[in-house]
Amino acid sequence: MNKTYTNPVTISCIFICILLLLNLINISDRNKFHSILEKKQITKIEGIIKSSPIKLSNNKYYYAKLKCLKVFYKNNISSECNGDITVYLPVKMVEAYFPGKLFTKNNSNQNYVYEEGGFYKFNGKFINDVFYIEDCFCNKWDSSFLSKIYLLRANIRIYIKRLMFKWGDAGGFFMALITGSREYTNEDVKSNFRNSGLSHILALSGMHLSLLSGLAAFIGNKTKRLKVSYLIRIIAILLFVFIAGFSPSLLRAFISFCLLLFYSIINNKKMDMIYIVCLSFIIQINIDPISINNTGFILSYGALFGILLFNNFFKKVLNKIMPDKISESLSASTAAQLLTSPFSLNLFGEIYPIGILASSIVSPLVTFFIYAGLFLFLICLICPFFVEVSGFFMNLLYTVISFLVKLFSYFPKLKI
């Protein structure tokens, strides 16, 4: 038997997956909210935002995780608390500083930047397990080094939004690809990506990390110094995850990248990718056990395992009827869809077979779009007057991509 499948890490990963599929493991939330006050009594909360707010599909709220520190009852009676809660922030509050958005005042006649790491005091109420925010009456960033880093990140994300806004629709698409912020991504385009089986392209994942790592490696190799090359790759990846933030799929990619980099430094032999992914899986569920229920987590690992297990088989079959470059792309898409389809059917009740072909055609174009965007973005930082010219070029690429995605969205989907 292949040593890969007799390795203790791989066996442990398989065993955990079987227990999860059979619902024999009860995953508890280690950050579950606790307070002596009942949720329905709470009218104010204090806490630190733990994740950058993400816009909901209803376009009325953003949601974020809040590390709750104190809760209030009527007459300002307060109680200590701990744990995380989900908060819904009204669009008009979050987008107050966003370019091209309607500038509005909240009830306290004060606007704030809502980003990870900031301390906030909110008025609102619980509906089920979600705290719906009505007003924010305090925001501050303390003097600690970590808080200053988070504030820097918040300002960088706002600056990127303002610069990319000048690129129009292409800027909104580029921003979704590199930061995960989809406020400026056309709703029809998002729908077309979903109906083409291409939602993984918009979700920050290993594809985005590998593209950036590859670009950094290319630049680093020009120095002809291995240590410098490693350093450039590490800085590029850390900068990317710093700005984008960790989603479950991006955390998976980051852990895998760190493991590969670590093993490449201490041992030049080619690492077994199944071993790396299994070890990444075990590390991630220890870091954040509750993410095991996240759709992005499930599909991310499913797609990767599908490629590792079945890609070579499909490639041998397709090589007989088409050129290597085409068969390589199609085999990877087919292998990924083979393993993720059962999960997609279970989660959404539908799959998009056209996604195999669509991914093979659209992914290379998106790769070029990202590389071109990063290059032109750096040019625009140095020469702001170049924004309009670069925006014209990026919108040409965007038009081609959006047209193809729309075309693929017309193909039928399978439902159960």
Side-chain angles (χ1 to χ4, degrees):
M1 183 180 288
N2 193 318
K3 290 183 180 180
T4 298
Y5 302 103
T6 58
N7 187 287
V9 171
T10 307
I11 293 174
S12 299
C13 182
I14 294 172
F15 181 67
I16 292 171
C17 289
I18 292 173
L19 292 178
L20 288 169
L21 289 172
L22 296 176
N23 292 320
L24 296 178
I25 297 180
N26 183 24
I27 304 296
S28 59
D29 186 359
R30 63 176 60 158
N31 296 316
K32 188 176 181 180
F33 175 73
H34 296 284
S35 170
I36 60 172
L37 292 177
E38 293 184 13
K39 288 183 177 179
K40 63 181 180 180
Q41 297 177 311
I42 298 172
T43 58
K44 295 180 183 179
I45 56 174
E46 292 181 4
I48 299 172
I49 288 184
K50 294 182 62 176
S51 61
S52 296
I54 298 174
K55 198 170 189 177
L56 294 172
S57 58
N58 61 16
N59 291 320
K60 294 180 180 179
Y61 292 97
Y62 283 75
Y63 79 90
K65 283 292 182 182
L66 184 82
K67 180 182 179 181
C68 206
L69 303 175
K70 186 180 289 188
V71 293
F72 295 82
Y73 183 46
K74 60 183 179 180
N75 300 323
N76 280 331
I77 299 174
S78 65
S79 169
E80 299 296 325
C81 63
N82 58 58
D84 298 344
I85 61 172
T86 299
V87 295
Y88 279 11
L89 299 106
V91 165
K92 66 178 182 179
M93 290 173 58
V94 179
E95 296 183 350
Y97 285 110
F98 287 10
K101 301 295 184 178
L102 180 63
F103 187 87
T104 57
K105 293 288 185 180
N106 59 36
N107 295 337
S108 63
N109 202 36
Q110 177 66 53
N111 289 316
Y112 302 110
V113 174
Y114 300 92
E115 279 288 356
E116 183 178 356
F119 173 85
Y120 301 87
K121 295 182 180 181
F122 294 118
N123 290 324
K125 60 182 177 181
F126 271 102
I127 298 179
N128 296 325
D129 290 326
V130 176
F131 190 80
Y132 283 77
I133 293 168
E134 298 171 355
D135 184 28
C136 178
F137 56 94
C138 177
N139 166 228
K140 62 182 180 181
W141 306 77
D142 61 45
S143 58
S144 68
F145 176 76
L146 185 60
S147 184
K148 290 179 180 179
I149 291 295
Y150 278 124
L151 179 57
L152 174 63
R153 176 182 180 272
N155 289 327
I156 289 174
R157 286 173 63 90
I158 289 292
Y159 181 79
I160 291 175
K161 286 182 173 68
R162 289 175 177 170
L163 183 59
M164 291 297 94
F165 179 70
K166 296 180 181 179
W167 280 5
D169 288 340
F173 183 56
F174 181 70
M175 193 160 50
L177 293 173
I178 64 168
T179 69
S181 298
R182 303 183 190 179
E183 297 88 355
Y184 296 92
T185 308
N186 185 284
E187 290 297 328
D188 290 335
V189 171
K190 287 193 286 187
S191 177
N192 291 337
F193 266 89
R194 183 173 60 253
N195 294 330
S196 303
L198 297 171
S199 294
H200 62 281
I201 290 179
L202 290 180
L204 294 178
S205 62
M207 184 190 83
H208 304 80
L209 208 63
S210 61
L211 289 178
L212 195 62
S213 176
L215 180 61
F218 173 78
I219 297 172
N221 291 337
K222 293 295 182 181
T223 66
K224 297 182 179 180
R225 294 184 179 182
L226 190 59
K227 290 183 179 179
V228 174
S229 177
Y230 282 142
L231 182 61
I232 292 175
R233 290 177 68 185
I234 291 170
I235 292 174
I237 295 302
L238 289 177
L239 184 61
F240 174 70
V241 297
F242 169 67
I243 295 174
F246 281 116
S247 63
S249 55
L250 189 57
L251 178 59
R252 188 273 306 161
F254 180 72
I255 294 173
S256 298
F257 167 81
C258 291
L259 291 172
L260 283 170
L261 191 61
F262 173 74
Y263 281 112
S264 64
I265 291 174
I266 64 173
N267 188 348
N268 289 326
K269 294 181 180 179
K270 186 178 180 181
M271 284 304 304
D272 185 338
M273 279 304 301
I274 292 181
Y275 171 81
I276 290 292
V277 176
C278 288
L279 183 56
S280 172
F281 177 86
I282 293 172
I283 292 173
Q284 185 165 354
I285 62 175
N286 277 278
I287 294 174
D288 184 19
I290 201 67
S291 68
I292 213 164
N293 299 317
N294 181 274
T295 301
F297 176 95
I298 296 170
L299 297 181
S300 177
Y301 276 102
L304 197 52
F305 276 120
I307 293 172
L308 293 175
L309 294 173
F310 305 116
N311 183 54
N312 287 336
F313 169 78
F314 286 116
K315 190 176 180 181
K316 288 179 182 178
V317 173
L318 294 173
N319 270 342
K320 298 177 181 179
I321 57 176
M322 59 184 64
D324 286 350
K325 289 186 178 181
I326 298 176
S327 65
E328 186 174 347
S329 180
L330 277 175
S331 61
S333 300
T334 306
Q337 183 124 341
L338 178 65
L339 206 58
T340 56
S341 291
F343 295 105
S344 296
L345 283 171
N346 182 54
L347 292 168
F348 311 116
E350 58 189 23
I351 57 173
Y352 303 88
I354 193 59
I356 297 173
L357 178 61
S359 183
S360 301
I361 295 174
V362 175
S363 291
L365 290 174
V366 172
T367 299
F368 180 69
F369 181 88
I370 292 174
Y371 282 149
L374 288 171
F375 173 75
L376 293 174
F377 177 76
L378 292 175
I379 295 295
C380 291
L381 287 178
I382 300 170
C383 307
F385 59 83
F386 196 67
V387 169
E388 291 187 7
V389 176
S390 59
F392 175 77
F393 175 73
M394 292 299 291
N395 274 285
L396 285 178
L397 288 175
Y398 172 76
T399 300
V400 174
I401 293 171
S402 59
F403 172 77
L404 289 172
V405 172
K406 183 176 182 179
L407 188 65
F408 286 122
S409 70
Y410 291 129
F411 284 76
K413 56 189 175 183
L414 297 180
K415 293 185 176 183
I416 58 170

